[in-house]
Structure formats: structure tokens, C-alpha cells
């Protein structure tokens, strides 16, 4: 039995090798490509290094080869951060009361509610986003509904706006907020809240002073888990933002499509990865676990 | 235990109702509209299954669906096999670096994984096609299969293995006759989740598929970009139903085993 137990550890190897070869190695290659020169006809010049791709985040080269500030990409970064931040705030506003509601139901009911929260996550992202096109477009359900009620006149033009992107992102990532918050509330010792109320705290005060601080790891995990994928979103801005409202994800994709600037695309993706790793590191230092670790128990 | 719902602010119920309405109404509306007879995809004029017929008669959609099924079946089987071995190897111990590595595909934003995978395949000279899609999918199937299998293993009574050993079962026999049957619901649940996550994937596939390996989500993306049509409604509704059916099944299997 001993030998078997010792040898058993080797079973991890195939998965580890596959993960190293197809996630860690590609990320390293991506980092390397981001400091290469772009090829004349797309692709890259292997072995010729430059930081041009990172310089291009903020500057462009003028005709006389001097660097001038180029606010085009800066606008896209600012919009991506803004939309991700607003979406996170919106998810927290809806998600926290919902998680609190779920955590205070009978255990059997809770399991069903958790299941209902997870179902949309497993459905196709495109299909979920497409449903919002049906709702938001001119002459779509919301537009037509408001007109029929006499609450609006003229086309509302809800689709292809930052607002539409935010709704789509909220719809996609709301479960990522509810589940970790719920997980931390579920473990909460309600006797502490009871004690607070015995000592004269109202429901709201008890929530603010006892429940909220104790659920903070879940709340912050939820914020990280919503903010990070929102920042790198591609489908929602592509379908709900139209060609006008770009986010970082669209910018990255276009570098591998029409723009054919791989180093720039790799640099953008690497910057995104750096933000993710920083967020994870911050969370691990502050709460001593990876965000979502409690979710998967 | 104390009665928890007397201890929280009032008014949570309505928020929760709104939340679930927000989560399910768009899906429900899409399902209803897919049976709309009208050519105009959002104005209801009568019940019809004509658009489903149109979808099932579209050779390109069927070919894309076939590609999707091939990819999802291969990637989920390989991913689950790797995840099962890893979970058995990690049974009864915890290794944070290994756990971090396994969950890496979940933490890295999809678009970053997509770019990185594309660059790897180009660098090693692997032509983009179904093979590259299967490889990329296998990787992100691993964590989805790993988590339910590991949860199942952790909930297992370690004394059962000892008992098999005391009764002179060889390690292999003990595994086949004791561990595997108990683990089966976890494996099946993980396999189904991996299958559905592969079937639904769009962003990574879009980057690494190349021209000849269009999967159903990539095809649907092309359709949506052209415009809202009743065919898109019907094919979207079909994808929704398949996903929901699989997840529900996976949930039932995982619970049946643990009850």
C-alpha cells in the first residue's frame, strides 16, 4: 500500500504537463511576442526586439519619427475600466441583497437557489448576449413596449451604446458576484447577529456592523471575479457596442484580424494578464486564499 | 439554529425576485420568440416551428454542429481523463501550486488564453483546424472536470479503502471495486460540465479554429453579426435547451451520488 501511495502522486503528471505546455508556455510566448518587431505582412520578426508595442499604448510616431501622445487607445482603456467598474458596482448592488436572501432560506431551498443562479453561466455566452439584442434594439421589446405605453417617442437607440454593454456584462457576470458572497454568508454564525440585536442594534445596523464585515472576503472575491473578466470582455462590446464602442478585448482581437499587429495585440493581452495577477495577489495577501477558492470549497 | 431571516434587513425578497426575473426573462423571451411565425424576429404573430425546420435543413449549421459535437466529445473525454488522474494523485493532500496550476485556465481572461494559444500554435507550426480547437478545449476542460471529482473524493470515507486492503484486495482491485464506483457520479458530473463548457465556447475557438473548423458558436456569431433573424432565434434556443438539459442532468447525477 505504501509504494502505491507514493507512486500515486505521479498520476498528477499528465495534467501538469498538459497545463504547463498549453497554458503556462503560451503565456510566456505571448509575453515574448509582445517585445518583438511586427512583421511587414503580419506576424512577427522573430529575434528582433523592441518595446514599440508598449509605447504604442500611449504614443504614436509622427512623420518625422518623433513620439506624440495618441489618446485613441487611452480612451478605450478608460472606457474599459469605467464599464468594468460600473458593472462591478451594479452587480454588487443587486448581488449582495440576493446573496443575503439566499443565505437566510432553509438549507434545501438554498441548494435550489444556488443551482438557479448557476444555470445561466453554463449557457452559451453569445446566446445570452443575443437575447439582449432582441430586448434593446430599436423596435425591440423594450423600445416597442415603452412606445405602446406612451412613455417614449421616437427610437430610443438603446443598442450600440456603453449602457447596452454594461447591461450585457452585468447579465453575464452577476452569478460571479452572487456565488462568492453567498458562500461567505452561508458560513456566517448568525448568533453573532442575534447578539448584536439583543444589544439593541436594528436589523440595518446589525447588517452594517456585523454581517457586512464578516462577508467581506466574499464581497471582495466577487468584485475581483466580476471586474477581471469584464475588463477583458469581447462578446458584449462586439455585439452590444457595435463598431463604435470598443473595449480592450475588441482592440486585442482586431490586432489578430484586420490590423495584423501581433506584438501590439500580445502586449495588450499581457497587460490584461498583469492586472489579473495583481488582483489575485492583492486578494491572496489580504485574505490568504485565491478569490473563488471558497466557492469551489 | 437561530432563525436567520429575522436578523437581516427587510425587503430582500423583492430584490431577489427582481434578480431572478432579470436572470431568466431574457432567456425565456428568446425561447418564446423562437416559435414566432413572423419574419420580423421580435413581433409576435403566431405559433410556428418553421424556423426550427429551416435550421435543421441548413447544411452549414449541421456541419458546424457536427464539428462542435466532435470537439466537445474529444476535449471533454481527454480533459476528464487528465482531471481524474490528477484528482487521484492529489487525493488526501493539498498542494497550493498544483491547485493554482489546475485552476489557471479559469482565472486567466478568455481573450488572453485565446491570444496565447494562437501564438503557440503558430510558433510550433500546427495548422489551425479542428485539432488545435480540441487541444485548446482539452486544457480548459481540465478544471471543470477536476472540481466535482475532487469534491467527491474528499467526501469519501477513507476507511473504505482500508477495509478493502484488510480484506486482501490489491490496490488496483480496491480502486476498481471500491473507489471507482463511489467516484462515478463525480466523474460523470465533471464530464458533462466539461462537455457543455466546450460545446458553448466561443472566444478561444474563434481565435484558434482557422477557416475550416467552424463550430456552432462561431457560426452563430457570424449569423448575429449579419442581423437578427428568426433562424438565429431558433438555433440559439436549441443551444440554450441543450446546455440547460446537460447542467440539470449533471446536477442531478452529482446529488444522487451524495444523498
Amino acid at each position: 500500500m505504501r509504494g502505491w501511495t507514493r507512486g500515486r502522486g505521479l498520476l498528477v503528471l499528465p495534467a501538469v504537463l498538459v497545463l504547463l505546455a498549453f497554458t503556462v508556455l503560451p503565456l510566456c510566448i505571448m509575453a515574448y511576442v509582445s517585445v518583438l518587431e511586427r512583421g511587414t505582412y503580419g506576424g512577427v520578426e522573430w529575434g528582433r526586439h523592441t518595446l514599440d508595442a508598449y509605447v504604442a499604448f500611449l504614443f504614436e510616431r509622427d512623420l518625422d519619427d518623433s513620439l506624440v501622445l495618441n489618446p485613441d487607445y487611452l480612451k478605450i482603456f478608460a472606457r474599459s475600466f469605467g464599464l468594468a467598474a460600473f458593472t462591478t458596482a451594479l452587480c454588487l448592488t443587486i448581488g449582495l441583497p440576493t446573496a443575503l436572501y439566499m443565505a437566510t432560506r432553509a438549507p434545501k431551498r438554498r441548494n435550489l437557489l444556488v443551482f438557479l443562479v448557476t444555470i445561466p453561466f453554463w449557457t452559451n455566452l453569445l446566446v445570452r448576449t443575443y437575447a439582449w439584442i432582441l430586448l434593446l434594439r430599436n423596435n425591440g421589446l423594450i423600445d416597442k413596449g415603452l412606445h405602446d405605453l406612451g412613455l417614449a417617442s421616437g427610437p430610443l437607440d438603446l443598442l450600440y451604446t456603453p449602457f447596452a454593454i454594461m447591461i450585457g456584462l452585468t447579465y453575464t457576470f452577476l452569478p460571479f458576484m452572487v456565488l462568492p458572497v453567498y458562500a461567505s454568508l452561508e458560513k456566517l454564525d448568525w448568533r453573532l447577529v442575534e447578539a448584536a440585536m439583543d444589544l439593541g442594534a436594528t436589523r440595518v445596523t446589525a447588517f452594517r456592523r456585523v454581517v457586512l464585515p464578516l462577508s467581506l472576503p466574499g464581497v471582495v472575491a466577487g468584485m475581483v471575479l466580476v471586474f477581471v473578466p469584464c475588463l477583458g470582455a469581447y462578446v458584449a462590446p462586439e455585439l452590444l457596442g457595435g463598431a463604435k464602442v470598443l473595449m480592450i478585448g475588441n482592440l486585442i482581437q482586431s490586432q489578430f484580424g484586420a490590423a495584423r499587429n501581433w506584438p501590439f495585440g500580445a502586449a495588450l493581452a499581457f497587460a490584461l494578464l498583469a492586472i489579473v495577477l495583481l488582483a489575485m495577489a492583492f486578494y491572496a495577501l489580504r485574505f490568504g486564499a485565491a478569490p473563488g477558492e471558497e466557492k469551489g470549497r | 439554529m437561530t432563525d436567520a431571516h429575522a436578523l437581516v434587513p427587510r425587503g430582500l425578497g423583492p430584490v431577489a425576485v427582481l434578480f431572478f426575473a432579470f436572470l431568466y426573462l431574457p432567456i425565456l423571451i428568446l425561447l418564446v420568440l423562437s416559435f414566432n411565425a413572423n419574419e420580423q424576429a421580435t413581433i409576435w404573430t403566431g405559433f410556428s416551428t418553421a424556423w426550427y425546420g429551416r435550421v435543421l435543413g441548413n447544411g452549414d449549421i449541421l456541419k458546424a454542429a457536427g464539428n462542435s459535437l466532435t470537439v466537445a466529445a474529444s476535449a471533454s473525454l481527454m480533459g476528464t481523463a487528465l482531471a481524474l488522474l490528477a484528482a487521484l494523485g492529489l487525493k488526501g493532500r493539498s498542494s497550493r501550486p498544483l491547485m493554482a496550476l489546475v485552476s489557471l485556465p479559469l482565472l486567466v481572461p478568455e481573450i488572453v488564453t485565446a491570444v496565447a494559444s494562437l501564438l503557440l500554435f503558430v510558433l510550433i507550426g500546427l495548422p489551425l483546424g479542428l485539432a488545435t480547437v480540441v487541444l485548446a478545449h482539452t486544457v480548459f476542460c481540465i478544471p471543470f472536470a477536476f472540481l466535482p471529482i475532487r469534491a467527491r473524493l474528499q467526501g469519501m470515507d477513507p476507511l473504505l479503502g482500508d477495509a478493502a486492503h484488510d480484506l486482501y484486495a490489491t490496490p488496483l482491485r480496491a480502486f476498481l471495486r471500491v473507489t471507482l464506483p463511489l467516484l462515478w457520479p463525480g466523474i460523470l458530473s465533471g464530464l458533462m460540465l466539461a462537455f457543455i463548457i466546450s460545446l458553448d465556447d466561443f472566444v478561444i475557438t474563434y481565435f484558434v479554429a482557422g477557416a475550416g473548423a467552424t463550430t456552432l458558436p462561431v457560426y452563430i456569431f457570424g449569423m448575429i453579426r449579419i442581423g437578427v433573424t428568426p433562424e438565429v432565434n431558433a438555433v440559439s434556443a436549441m443551444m440554450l435547451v441543450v446546455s440547460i438539459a446537460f447542467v440539470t442532468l449533471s446536477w442531478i447525477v452529482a446529488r444522487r451520488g451524495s444523498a
Side-chain angles (χ1 to χ4, degrees), chain A residues 1 4-5 8-9 11-12 14-16 18-27 29-30 33 46 94 97-98 100-102 104-105 110-113 115-117 119-127 130-135 137 139-141 144 167 170-171 174-175 178 190-191 193-194 197 203-204 207 228 232 234-235 238-239 249 252-253 256 262 266 269 272-273 276 280 288-291 293 297, chain B residues 1-2 4-10 12-13 15-16 19-20 22-24 26-27 29-30 33 40-43 82-83 85-86 88-91 93 96 98 101-102 104-105 107-112 115-123 135 139 142 144 147 151 161 165 171 175 193 196-197 199-203 206-207 217-218 220-221 224-225 228-229 232-233 236 239-240 243-244 247-248 251 255:
Chain A
M1 199 73 184
W4 156 246
T5 310
R8 203 172 45 117
L11 293 176
V12 183
V16 167
V18 167
L19 287 164
L20 285 177
F22 293 102
T23 56
V24 179
L25 178 65
L27 291 174
I29 294 173
M30 185 182 82
V33 166
W46 296 101
I94 312 170
T98 306
L100 202 53
Y101 172 84
M102 288 165 61
T104 48
R105 298 306 104 184
R110 278 186 232 165
N111 283 337
L112 181 69
L113 290 172
F115 178 60
L116 287 177
V117 173
I119 283 186
F121 166 79
W122 299 102
T123 61
N124 188 285
L125 177 63
L126 290 170
V127 170
Y130 173 71
W132 280 98
I133 298 184
L134 294 178
L135 287 164
R137 70 193 185 127
N139 224 355
L141 284 157
K144 215 175 159 309
I167 294 287
T170 304
Y171 188 62
L174 203 45
V178 174
W190 291 99
R191 286 173 306 180
V193 188
E194 203 172 25
M197 289 177 69
R203 285 171 183 239
V204 175
F207 169 73
V228 163
Y234 171 70
V235 170
E238 188 73 20
L239 295 181
I252 294 177
Q253 196 278 328
F256 293 90
W262 290 15
L272 208 56
L273 180 67
V276 174
M280 301 292 159
E293 224 165 68
R297 99 206 49 153
Chain B
M1 190 187 147
T2 38
H5 57 258
L7 301 172
V8 289
R10 287 170 223 274
L12 294 174
V15 180
F19 166 83
F20 283 105
F22 176 67
L23 215 53
Y24 281 95
I27 293 179
I29 287 168
L30 177 62
L33 283 178
Q40 279 278 322
T42 45
I43 301 164
L82 291 168
L85 291 177
L88 288 171
L90 277 171
K91 186 189 168 197
R93 54 189 104 178
R96 289 197 59 177
L98 280 177
L101 182 66
V102 170
L104 194 63
L107 299 177
V108 178
E110 263 203 301
I111 190 119
V112 176
V115 167
S117 308
L118 171 69
L119 292 173
L120 172 80
F121 294 141
V122 171
L123 179 64
L135 268 176
V139 174
I142 293 175
F144 283 101
L147 293 175
H165 179 65
F175 172 73
L193 294 183
I196 205 67
I197 217 76
L199 197 69
D200 280 339
D201 178 76
F202 165 68
V203 175
Y206 189 53
F207 272 73
V218 174
I220 293 178
F221 181 68
I224 296 177
R225 282 233 276 210
V228 172
T229 63
V232 183
N233 291 357
S236 300
M239 287 218 72
L240 266 181
S243 303
I244 293 174
V247 180
T248 311
W251 189 64
R255 281 172 62 89

Side-chain angles (χ1 to χ4, degrees), chain B residues 15-228:
Chain B
V15 180
V17 169
L18 273 178
F19 166 83
F20 283 105
F22 176 67
L23 215 53
Y24 281 95
L25 269 182
I27 293 179
L28 220 60
I29 287 168
L30 177 62
L31 288 176
V32 170
L33 283 178
S34 71
F35 291 105
N36 186 4
N38 197 296
E39 187 83 40
Q40 279 278 322
T42 45
I43 301 164
W44 182 264
T45 49
F47 182 87
S48 161
T49 54
W51 307 115
Y52 285 89
R54 188 80 75 85
V55 166
L56 293 176
N58 182 331
D60 289 338
I61 291 184
L62 293 182
K63 185 164 176 286
N67 282 343
S68 279
L69 290 175
T70 311
V71 168
S74 338
S76 61
L77 280 173
M78 291 199 290
T80 307
L82 291 168
L84 173 62
L85 291 177
L88 288 171
L90 277 171
K91 186 189 168 197
R93 54 189 104 178
S94 65
S95 156
R96 289 197 59 177
L98 280 177
M99 287 301 287
L101 182 66
V102 170
S103 36
L104 194 63
L106 300 180
L107 299 177
V108 178
E110 263 203 301
I111 190 119
V112 176
T113 309
V115 167
S117 308
L118 171 69
L119 292 173
L120 172 80
F121 294 141
V122 171
L123 179 64
I124 62 177
L126 207 57
L128 300 182
L130 278 186
T132 49
V133 177
V134 170
L135 268 176
H137 281 214
T138 301
V139 174
F140 66 71
C141 280
I142 293 175
F144 283 101
F146 179 81
L147 293 175
I149 296 176
R150 177 156 173 95
R152 185 87 196 159
L153 268 176
Q154 279 176 335
M156 227 151 78
D157 188 348
L159 290 177
L160 287 170
D162 292 349
H165 179 65
D166 288 347
L167 294 169
Y168 303 107
T170 60
L172 181 67
R173 209 173 153 75
F175 172 73
L176 290 176
R177 299 292 292 273
V178 180
T179 312
L180 198 58
L182 285 168
L183 201 53
W184 200 237
I187 299 173
L188 214 55
S189 165
L191 183 68
M192 284 191 280
L193 294 183
F195 182 83
I196 205 67
I197 217 76
S198 164
L199 197 69
D200 280 339
D201 178 76
F202 165 68
V203 175
I204 293 172
T205 316
Y206 189 53
F207 272 73
V208 302
T214 302
T215 62
L216 195 51
V218 174
Y219 191 84
I220 293 178
F221 181 68
M223 286 173 89
I224 296 177
R225 282 233 276 210
I226 293 168
V228 172

